[in-house]
Amino acid sequence: MSTQYDVDIPFSANHNQQAFKLLELPPEVLALLESDKPPAFDPVLLITITSSPATATTPGYAILCSGDKKYQMRQKNTSNPIMILQPSSTFPTEADDAASFIPVPSITAIAKIEDTIELIVQEAEAKAPPKVNKWHEKFAKSRLEKKG
């Protein structure tokens, strides 16, 4: 009886895993990279990565810049790792077999990616309006004063 398991493909994992990160690209940045005139040759379309200044309340972060657009780069972990596979060849382990010198097609995992880099559009930097006390902040403050 024939089954879907008639042909096995040997699978192995490379001990020296390569380091990869997946980068989510917005359509406009992807179009720049795939265009006939890549950004490396056009200073207006140049894609760069810089860092934002750290402040007392916020840490610095990486920013991808493309033309007049800025994207904050943020690492996101995933519970389902992605494996990058590479075709390879293995040899049968049976030494008595005359065909043992014929390689068998197989697959080798060369990397496991557990996180990706997400790009978040940065809005134009504008000064924040002055903070106005909200009624709930005043209410909470007055309740603390009454208890104390």
Side-chain angles (χ1 to χ4, degrees):
M1 182 170 148
S2 178
T3 68
Q4 63 183 2
Y5 301 106
D6 283 347
V7 178
D8 293 335
I9 299 175
F11 176 81
S12 63
N14 192 347
H15 293 288
N16 298 323
Q17 295 283 303
Q18 297 181 26
F20 285 97
K21 296 279 187 194
L22 291 180
L23 177 63
E24 171 191 311
L25 291 176
E28 58 271 9
V29 175
L30 182 61
L32 282 175
L33 293 174
E34 292 179 335
S35 71
D36 292 336
K37 189 176 182 183
F41 303 113
D42 189 345
V44 175
L45 302 177
L46 187 63
I47 297 173
T48 59
I49 297 176
T50 60
S51 62
S52 71
T55 64
T57 57
T58 60
Y61 48 84
I63 299 175
L64 185 134
C65 301
S66 171
D68 60 346
K69 298 232 179 187
K70 293 183 179 184
Y71 304 91
Q72 177 184 349
M73 299 175 74
R74 185 169 64 181
Q75 182 170 306
K76 301 285 282 186
N77 294 338
T78 178
S79 60
N80 298 327
I82 298 168
M83 299 181 83
I84 298 183
L85 306 176
Q86 178 178 7
S88 59
S89 296
T90 58
F91 295 93
T93 57
E94 301 163 4
D96 301 330
D97 191 359
S100 64
F101 295 106
I102 299 173
V104 175
S106 63
I107 297 174
T108 301
I110 61 169
K112 182 170 76 170
I113 300 171
E114 295 176 335
D115 44 45
T116 59
I117 306 295
E118 172 183 59
L119 298 181
I120 301 166
V121 176
Q122 293 291 295
E123 300 298 327
E125 294 180 15
K127 291 193 172 192
K131 183 177 177 184
V132 178
N133 287 334
K134 304 280 191 269
W135 70 268
H136 60 275
E137 291 174 350
K138 290 179 182 180
F139 178 74
K141 185 177 179 182
S142 66
R143 289 191 52 108
L144 287 173
E145 291 171 355
K146 287 179 184 178
K147 286 184 179 181

